Amino acid sequence: MGSLWITGIGPGGPAYMTPQAVEAITRADTLCGYTVYIELVRKALGDRLRKNLTILTTPMRQELERCRLAMEAAAAGSDVAMVCGGDAGIYGMAGPLLAMADDYPDVQIEIIPGLTAAVAGAAVLGAPLMNDFCVISLSDLMTPWQVIEKRLRAAAAGDFCICIYNPMSSRRREHLAKACRILMEEQSPDTPCGWVRNIGRPGQESRLLTLGMLAMEEVDMFTTVFIGNSRTRFRGPYMVTGRGYEDKAQD
Ligand code: SAH
């Protein structure tokens, strides 16, 4: 029986990959994952990868087949690294893989954490997630839109900072604007916000803007969006959420 290393590779280049992830990927004799991530790993680790490496990949949207392929290979004796962007347990493959793990009791599974887009993107914009925050995906492929709306309203009511994944795609151009309008029922249109595109990859770009402006912004699926709370301020080139030190200083 082989091993299955469910590996988060971080948002982009090798600098964002943990040594633990690099070790799993360079020890594996089989790499499995979405083509884009396999290419990222190939570029990042090149000749450190095994020479006779087997690559198992399926097109986007065929995630379950990809998981099954990885499990079958490990059950047949291979050491498999399933690579996921960011962290594998955050909108990644760790969930579906573990859900089928009962069918493969002899496969040794290890989950290797990765730097998720929320953390890497926040560092580009300043310190937007200094206090309580939540992460909400605007993709309604697997979560009904009504549930997403409910979560947005709850986050606004709780004055959470919000990090938005999957903000928009060509099929769902309206989602970010709709989300902003819901948040503005509770929050000021002047609330500091920002987005980061292609975090840690060539062509990384970012912008700070208000919630009112964000409602009219065009972003894409390679972007992570940050929405401040009532304590978030623009400070020079950064957005910073107050944590309470400021009030203490005034005591
Ligand atoms: N498992 C991934 C998230 C997958 S969901 C992680 O932990 O980061 C896909 C969404 O993640 C994208 O739509 C985008 O909102 C965000 N994302 C992932 N990588 C990104 C990157 N390099 N730059 C900007 N956003 C990214």
Side-chain angles (χ1 to χ4, degrees):
M1 280 292 168
S3 296
L4 175 62
W5 298 304
I6 308 175
T7 311
I9 63 166
Y16 295 81
M17 244 176 246
T18 66
Q20 197 188 10
V22 171
E23 194 195 327
I25 294 166
T26 51
R27 269 176 67 194
D29 57 46
T30 304
L31 273 190
C32 188
Y34 174 43
T35 341
V36 171
Y37 299 126
I38 299 277
E39 280 317 307
L40 274 172
V41 163
R42 273 208 170 122
K43 257 204 203 120
L45 299 175
D47 30 321
R48 295 182 62 190
L49 298 175
R50 290 253 206 129
K51 296 286 166 287
N52 51 352
L53 194 66
T54 304
I55 307 274
L56 298 175
T57 185
T58 62
M60 202 159 78
R61 303 268 170 85
Q62 296 188 11
E63 287 88 1
L64 290 182
E65 287 88 310
R66 206 181 304 146
C67 291
R68 193 60 74 180
L69 279 179
M71 279 290 192
E72 295 285 345
S78 297
D79 287 330
V80 182
M82 165 68 105
V83 294
C84 291
D87 181 79
I90 300 179
Y91 312 114
M93 291 293 108
L97 279 168
L98 294 182
M100 58 178 72
D102 273 356
D103 300 341
Y104 304 90
D106 297 323
V107 172
Q108 291 278 327
I109 297 179
E110 193 181 342
I111 303 154
I112 296 170
L115 190 57
T116 191
V119 171
V124 174
L125 295 179
L129 308 182
M130 273 299 289
N131 209 317
D132 297 346
F133 69 94
C134 62
V135 173
I136 299 180
S137 165
L138 297 191
S139 168
D140 61 354
L141 282 178
M142 274 171 294
T143 304
W145 180 255
Q146 293 91 312
V147 174
I148 297 172
E149 279 199 4
K150 189 171 138 191
R151 290 178 182 163
L152 287 165
R153 285 184 212 285
D159 198 27
F160 283 87
C161 293
I162 307 172
C163 179
I164 292 194
Y165 283 43
N166 298 301
M168 205 183 264
S169 75
S170 44
R171 221 180 35 80
R172 304 175 280 106
R173 304 214 69 79
E174 280 303 298
H175 280 191
L176 183 61
K178 270 167 108 179
C180 290
R181 286 197 293 270
I182 289 168
L183 296 175
M184 280 190 284
E185 291 169 13
E186 193 84 34
Q187 281 176 273
S188 160
D190 294 328
T191 304
C193 296
W195 56 254
V196 194
R197 182 166 187 271
N198 279 327
I199 304 164
R201 299 180 185 165
Q204 172 181 301
E205 50 183 333
S206 62
R207 185 176 182 206
L208 294 178
L209 69 183
T210 64
L211 182 55
M213 291 160 75
L214 185 64
M216 293 177 292
E217 191 79 341
E218 287 267 319
V219 298
D220 62 17
M221 61 187 283
F222 305 107
T223 307
T224 300
V225 174
F226 296 79
I227 296 167
N229 70 3
S230 64
R231 313 276 311 266
T232 307
R233 303 284 178 266
F234 293 122
R235 306 238 180 246
Y238 299 117
M239 67 185 281
V240 180
T241 299
R243 195 185 160 198
Y245 293 122
E246 307 75 8
D247 306 340
K248 287 246 173 345
Q250 284 160 16
D251 284 348

